[in-house]
Amino acid sequence: MTHMHIAGSIHADAAQGGPTWLRVPDDLNELDLKLWPRGTHRDESGRIVVAGVALTDVAEQHGTPTYVIDEDDFRSRARDFKEGFPGWEIYYAGKALLTRTVARWAAEEGLNLDVTTMGEMRIALAGGMPAARLGFHGNNKSDEEIAFALEQGVGRIIVDSFDEIQRLERACSEGGHRANVLVRVTTGVEAHTHEYIATAHEDQKFGLSIMGGQALTALVRCYSSPYLDLRGIHSHIGSQIFETLGFEVAIRRTMKLASQFRTATGVELPELDLGGGFGIAYTAADTPRATTELAAAFEEMVDHECRALGLNRPELSIEPGRAICGPSGVAVYRVGTVKTVELEGGRSRVYVSVDGGMSDNIRPALYAAEYSAAVANRTSTAEAVLSRVVGKHCEGGDILIRDVFLPSDVAIGDLIAVPGSGAYARSMASNYNQIPKPPVVSAKDGDTSVMLRRETLEDLMRLDVGQ
Ligand SMILES: Cc1ncc(COP(=O)(O)O)c(C=O)c1O
């Protein structure tokens, strides 16, 4: 056998029987409830039921792949943050999943909303989220986006560079506006998460460095601007974080910065935003913290720093995205091919190909994200075999779930449900290989309703206007 390249970790894991945390389940039919929307269960015929809707019915009515979002689950997690963090402002991070319906749910639950682009602003407003409750992020906001945000009266703009501050002032001056701003800072925290979703270390595109002194300069610059109302400091250390230690360091450093700002200006900053990034359970190995536990830890840290620095307690806000919509969503795929691949050493691996893949969930390919899966249309008493769920794209890395135990009788036509698919799946979807994006349907009390329809081949054809 000729190796064209040295086998990477994907191959190495096969010899070990999957990652170390992965256990052969005692009962393949049992659902690990921490992964699924609350109330998910199997009915008497063994079908997985989300929000009172059997996933087989979802597949029948909406086709596959389809993302199902349990409305009550979304709302209950939004409420967990509202109630778990009393007195804090909660900004739902729309980048995780945003449709008009989702914006309405967030607004009705008393959340504010984080947006990053013109598209997100437009959807949020169309969903009924008041402009005053929007926070506008981004490291490269266009003049058009800035002007639109000002005209709409967006509640706060989180500035990310000196260049942006200048352009924002110009837009204010031209349009006769004022803007509430927070300065996004990098705290130097190395969050324990994938490099691409750790955003507070120094060598990356977001924010202004505290250590390098730019953050303080930017704060003073905004404070002295005739067009800007400086509200405070913004820090987001990364995503899918379970430990509070990173936040603790971020709080210490941002509060110290607030104290330096007071020394420089004689004024205290009224607000501190600690960003999002609260981890959810994608696999049995993940152990998310309750919002009350997070809140207690954050409160204690902020109080401690306020006392130590002699600062008043600022108004506090956070920006959870994934932790609200991630566990509410399940992706439903249909199996199209099952193939057993013989490996060296007499081992084999079962490749289960589904009718979606990296175009509807890029996270595994982008940052080796792990997921779990279950057969959704039936139970099985077949033995558990280590399987790999792959998509239908022309790419070897088109892997949805690298290692998962599935029943050995998984067959063409079975439905595979992937929990944790509410966040950063549809919102990061592409049309790779000219595949129309799947729909997003909400489920509640036994009914479904389409929030975002499936793209069609006609949609794709219409975009192609060349001769
Ligand atoms: C500034 C900011 N806030 C909040 C979030 C939401 O993070 P998560 O969905 O992990 O909570 C992100 C994610 O990238 C972000 O960049």
Side-chain angles (χ1 to χ4, degrees):
M1 180 177 162
T2 310
H3 283 289
M4 298 302 287
H5 63 93
I6 310 254
S9 60
I10 289 177
H11 310 275
D13 278 356
Q16 297 153 18
T20 48
W21 58 264
L22 189 66
R23 302 269 172 282
V24 184
D26 293 335
D27 178 0
L28 267 177
N29 304 311
E30 202 181 309
L31 302 177
D32 182 347
L33 294 181
K34 73 176 173 182
L35 308 180
W36 298 83
R38 291 162 179 164
T40 300
H41 62 276
R42 286 192 190 268
D43 65 11
E44 55 295 341
S45 27
R47 305 176 305 173
I48 295 180
V49 176
V50 172
V53 185
L55 295 183
T56 47
D57 292 342
V58 169
E60 208 166 285
Q61 286 164 27
H62 304 284
T64 52
T66 288
Y67 310 96
V68 189
I69 310 292
D70 180 333
E71 176 178 343
D72 287 343
D73 186 86
F74 180 101
R75 287 180 183 273
S76 72
R77 291 177 201 274
R79 241 169 273 151
D80 285 350
F81 276 99
K82 266 307 262 187
E83 290 162 12
F85 284 80
W88 293 52
E89 288 295 331
I90 313 294
Y91 283 79
Y92 168 64
K95 68 203 76 175
L97 175 72
L98 190 63
T99 69
R100 287 190 299 172
T101 312
V102 166
R104 175 169 60 77
W105 293 346
E108 287 170 358
E109 295 302 332
L111 306 192
N112 309 307
L113 186 59
D114 248 9
V115 288
T116 318
T117 60
M118 178 72 90
E120 289 183 1
M121 276 191 279
R122 293 283 302 273
I123 298 285
L125 293 169
M129 180 61 78
R133 283 161 61 187
L134 295 182
F136 183 25
H137 272 281
N139 65 302
N140 187 20
K141 303 175 185 81
S142 70
D143 288 340
E144 191 193 1
E145 288 171 325
I146 289 172
F148 181 78
L150 292 171
E151 277 154 26
Q152 296 295 318
V154 159
R156 59 188 205 168
I157 297 180
I158 295 85
V159 295
D160 198 276
S161 66
F162 289 106
D163 180 54
E164 183 189 339
I165 294 170
Q166 207 172 17
R167 289 189 298 120
L168 180 57
E169 285 182 313
R170 195 168 59 229
C172 285
S173 138
E174 284 168 8
H177 302 289
R178 293 189 66 79
N180 290 324
V181 298
L182 278 82
V183 173
R184 179 160 177 176
V185 303
T186 45
T187 52
V189 173
E190 295 275 354
H192 284 186
T193 188
H194 190 279
E195 183 193 354
Y196 289 179
I197 50 176
T199 57
H201 57 90
E202 299 289 330
D203 191 5
Q204 46 92 25
K205 69 174 188 168
F206 291 113
L208 290 151
S209 164
I210 294 182
M211 257 110 74
Q214 294 170 327
L216 182 59
T217 308
L219 286 167
V220 174
R221 169 87 174 72
C222 291
Y223 175 65
S224 49
S225 166
Y227 301 105
L228 308 180
D229 292 317
L230 176 64
R231 297 292 307 159
I233 298 169
H234 179 284
S235 152
H236 172 77
I237 59 170
S239 276
Q240 190 56 3
I241 297 164
F242 295 104
E243 299 306 322
T244 53
L245 184 65
F247 290 101
E248 187 178 334
V249 177
I251 289 170
R252 209 178 311 131
R253 293 185 182 165
T254 50
M255 296 291 286
K256 187 170 168 209
L257 175 64
S259 161
Q260 289 165 344
F261 176 81
R262 183 184 55 184
T263 306
T265 62
V267 172
E268 281 196 30
L269 290 168
E271 208 173 321
L272 173 64
D273 188 311
L274 294 169
F278 315 111
I280 65 168
Y282 286 106
T283 71
D286 296 329
T287 48
R289 286 164 194 265
T291 51
T292 45
E293 199 188 326
L294 286 172
F298 287 12
E299 288 281 0
E300 196 188 315
M301 296 170 205
V302 172
D303 282 352
H304 179 272
E305 291 310 304
C306 285
R307 272 197 309 276
L309 297 164
L311 289 168
N312 291 309
R313 184 182 187 278
E315 289 165 33
L316 295 161
S317 47
I318 46 169
E319 303 171 333
R322 178 193 321 272
I324 293 178
C325 65
S328 315
V330 175
V332 187
Y333 301 93
R334 197 175 290 281
V335 175
T337 309
V338 181
K339 189 193 277 183
T340 301
V341 175
E342 303 302 332
L343 307 171
E344 285 167 39
R347 297 174 62 87
S348 62
R349 190 197 303 281
V350 179
Y351 276 77
V352 177
S353 296
V354 295
D355 51 358
M358 63 193 296
S359 62
D360 59 73
N361 190 347
I362 189 67
R363 295 186 66 255
L366 188 61
Y367 28 68
E370 291 173 320
Y371 283 87
S372 308
V375 174
N377 52 309
R378 63 183 175 92
T379 51
S380 169
T381 51
E383 63 166 336
V385 289
L386 189 61
S387 308
R388 179 161 289 174
V389 180
V390 295
K392 62 177 280 140
H393 295 276
C394 273
E395 196 76 41
D398 176 25
I399 295 168
L400 275 174
I401 311 180
R402 241 172 88 167
D403 298 289
V404 61
F405 281 102
L406 290 173
S408 60
D409 63 356
V410 164
I412 294 168
D414 274 334
L415 295 178
I416 298 287
V418 178
S421 298
Y424 303 105
R426 179 58 175 82
S427 67
M428 295 176 98
S430 75
N431 291 118
Y432 179 44
N433 287 146
Q434 303 295 351
I435 291 184
K437 291 176 195 151
V440 186
V441 304
S442 61
K444 183 179 166 64
D445 299 335
D447 278 325
T448 57
S449 166
V450 178
M451 299 199 238
L452 211 53
R453 72 160 169 81
R454 183 184 300 284
E455 284 183 350
T456 61
L457 283 173
E458 288 67 41
D459 291 328
L460 300 187
M461 294 301 289
R462 264 201 300 272
L463 292 172
D464 191 331
V465 294
Q467 298 301 313

